[in-house]
């Protein structure tokens, strides 16, 4: 017997049927096509420009962008990434496939709390990839993580002590070449580790951007509020992406930073355009849409939780051997990060 919402006995009704009925919705598209099209270009231009800013600030010193402006962009962006993981991904994932949702109470989805399991699997998977990549590079280049230089120094000292004065210049030259080789290997290792972590971060953010772009294209009366909120939302996330990218030691003249910034900037506008293309048929509240969106949000949450806490906060504030000892600068970095967390968390009230 099908569920009849007009005749419900709370003592005998299946809670899952009630939840699914309450969560179900029709396509909410209500026109305003011109405003929706404008969102494509506004978000494209603003979010792309903000994403490029930290990269340009770092790679174009002739612009004389003040250090504290760059630091604000970098650490505000780190806070944005952390808040995005918890407020904009983890919470919606629970709403879409969590135990109290229609999906989470239906079929095999109701047999286990799959939402936190997916987040956990994603987080552990990223950790294993990160650890595996780091170990691979260490083995490939034969570099000890804790103390790579004493081997070089010892070899150099022994050579210098056992050679004659006549041979001292060639030995010193050989030592310099060996030192340069090890430094190049360290730089290469650092770059590969950081670019791998960044690509994982951007992958997680892009998942999220696709979903919100589709929703903006078909949302109903919430569009007027959602539009400006998502401009800020995507700009803040873009700042986080750009700030993280600016810290990666790309080779001079590398085109990769510009391609990756552009890729992020294009994702949401393209998704909005796709949403407009299916504006009369796509239903963001359907069971299938909730499953797809919930799983992607949970995967992205795991990625950004690991990346935000480990690759951004822990790496920069706790484990960076070159971290500044200037208390004023450290305080500014922490406050900038807290602003990023706070403002992005606040935006979660609307989007």
């Amino acid at each position: 017997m099908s569920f009849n919402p007009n005749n419900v006995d709370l003592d005998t009704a299946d809670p899952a049927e009630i939840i699914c009925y309450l969560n179900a919705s029709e396509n909410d598209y209500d026109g305003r096509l011109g405003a929706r099209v404008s969102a494509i270009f506004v978000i494209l231009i603003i979010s792309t420009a903000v994403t490029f800013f930290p990269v340009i600030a770092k790679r174009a010193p002739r612009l004389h962008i003040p250090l504290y402006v760059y630091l604000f962009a970098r650490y505000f962006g780190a806070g944005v990434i952390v808040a995005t993981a918890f407020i904009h991904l983890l919470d919606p994932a629970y709403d879409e496939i969590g135990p109290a949702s229609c999906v989470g109470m239906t079929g095999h989805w109701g047999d286990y709390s799959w939402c936190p399991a997916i987040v956990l699997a994603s987080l552990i998977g990223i950790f294993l990839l990160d650890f595996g990549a780091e170990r691979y590079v260490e083995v490939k280049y034969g570099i000890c993580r804790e103390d790579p230089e004493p081997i070089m120094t010892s070899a150099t000292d022994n050579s210098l002590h056992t050679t004659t004065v006549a041979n001292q210049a060639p030995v010193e030259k050989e030592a310099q070449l060996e030192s340069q080789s090890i430094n190049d290997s360290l730089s290469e290792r650092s770059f590969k580790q950081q670019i791998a972590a960044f690509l994982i971060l951007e992958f997680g953010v892009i998942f999220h951007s696709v979903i919100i772009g589709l929703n903006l294209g078909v949302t109903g009366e919430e569009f007027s509020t959602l539009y400006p909120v998502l401009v800020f939302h995507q700009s803040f996330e873009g700042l986080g992406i750009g700030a993280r990218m600016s810290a990666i030691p790309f080779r001079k003249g590398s085109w990769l930073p510009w391609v990756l910034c552009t890729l992020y900037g294009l994702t949401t506008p393209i998704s909005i355009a796709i949403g407009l293309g299916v504006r009369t048929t796509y239903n963001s509240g359907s069971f299938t849409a909730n499953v797809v969106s919930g799983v992607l949000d949970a995967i992205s949450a795991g990625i950004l939780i690991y990346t935000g806490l480990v690759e951004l906060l822990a790496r920069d504030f706790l484990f960076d051997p070159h971290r500044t000892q200037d208390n004023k600068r450290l305080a500014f970095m922490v406050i900038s990060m807290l602003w990023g967390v706070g403002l992005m968390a606040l935006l979660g009230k609307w989007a």
Side-chain angles (χ1 to χ4, degrees):
M1 182 176 180
S2 61
F3 178 70
N4 181 4
N6 297 314
N7 184 18
V8 179
D9 185 347
L10 295 179
D11 293 326
T12 59
D14 183 354
E17 291 184 334
I18 297 175
I19 295 295
C20 288
Y21 174 79
L22 293 174
N23 286 353
S25 65
E26 300 297 329
N27 181 276
D28 293 330
Y29 178 75
D30 62 355
R32 293 181 284 185
L33 182 60
R36 295 175 195 269
V37 171
S38 74
I40 297 175
F41 298 99
V42 171
I43 292 178
L44 171 64
I45 294 170
I46 295 179
S47 65
T48 302
V50 173
T51 306
F52 272 109
F53 172 74
V55 179
I56 294 173
K58 186 69 177 289
R59 295 169 70 88
R62 64 181 179 276
L63 296 179
H64 301 295
I65 295 174
L67 172 63
Y68 277 86
V69 173
Y70 169 74
L71 290 176
F72 176 80
R74 178 171 176 177
Y75 293 103
F76 180 91
V80 164
I81 296 299
V82 174
T84 297
F86 289 96
I87 304 299
H88 297 267
L89 291 170
L90 185 60
D91 184 59
Y94 267 95
D95 287 342
E96 291 154 345
I97 61 172
S101 68
C102 171
V103 173
M105 300 175 71
T106 306
H108 292 297
W109 286 98
D111 296 339
Y112 186 74
S113 186
W114 289 105
C115 182
I118 294 171
V119 174
L120 178 63
S122 173
L123 189 154
I124 295 299
I126 297 306
F127 160 72
L128 292 176
L129 285 173
D130 193 20
F131 175 68
E134 181 164 329
R135 184 58 186 152
Y136 169 77
V137 174
E138 286 177 353
V139 172
K140 179 179 179 180
Y141 289 99
I143 299 170
C144 175
R145 177 182 178 86
E146 294 181 356
D147 196 9
E149 295 185 352
I151 297 174
M152 173 199 70
T153 304
S154 176
T156 303
D157 289 344
N158 289 338
S159 298
L160 292 175
H161 283 300
T162 58
T163 52
T164 64
V165 174
N167 292 330
Q168 186 170 355
V171 171
E172 288 180 348
K173 183 177 181 181
E174 182 180 350
Q176 291 175 354
L177 291 174
E178 184 179 357
S179 174
Q180 182 62 42
S181 176
I182 290 180
N183 287 334
D184 290 344
S185 296
L186 286 169
S187 298
E188 183 72 10
R189 183 184 102 176
S190 175
F191 172 75
K192 288 186 176 182
Q193 289 171 343
Q194 291 187 57
I195 192 61
F198 175 80
L199 291 175
I200 291 169
L201 167 65
E202 184 161 22
F203 181 70
V205 171
I206 282 178
F207 264 173
H208 179 48
S209 298
V210 169
I211 299 300
I212 63 176
L214 285 172
N215 289 341
L216 184 63
V218 301
T219 190
E221 61 182 17
E222 297 176 350
F223 174 78
S224 297
T225 301
L226 197 59
Y227 183 174
V229 168
L230 287 188
V231 172
F232 285 102
H233 182 286
Q234 291 306 104
S235 298
F236 288 167
E237 279 191 355
L239 191 61
I241 290 287
R244 182 58 192 159
M245 197 183 312
S246 70
I248 300 176
F250 289 100
R251 296 181 186 275
K252 186 176 182 180
S254 173
W255 50 265
L256 194 55
W258 315 113
V259 171
L260 293 174
C261 284
T262 303
L263 179 63
Y264 170 78
L266 288 172
T267 300
T268 300
I270 290 175
S271 299
I272 296 172
I274 294 173
L276 290 177
V278 296
R279 61 186 180 276
T280 59
T281 57
Y282 176 71
N283 180 9
S284 60
S286 68
F287 185 91
T288 301
N290 277 326
V291 170
V292 174
S293 179
V295 170
L296 292 180
D297 279 346
I299 292 172
S300 299
I303 292 173
L304 264 66
I305 288 171
Y306 177 84
T307 303
L309 297 181
V310 176
E311 295 292 339
L312 300 182
L313 299 190
R315 184 186 294 273
D316 285 356
F317 287 101
L318 300 179
F319 305 130
D320 183 4
H322 305 295
R323 186 191 66 198
T324 178
Q325 299 302 308
D326 185 339
N327 286 331
K328 177 184 175 182
R329 187 180 300 180
L330 284 172
F332 182 80
M333 289 158 56
V334 172
I335 291 171
S336 298
M337 182 271 295
L338 293 176
W339 268 102
V341 169
L343 289 178
M344 200 63 175
L346 179 63
L347 287 181
K349 177 177 173 62
W350 300 280

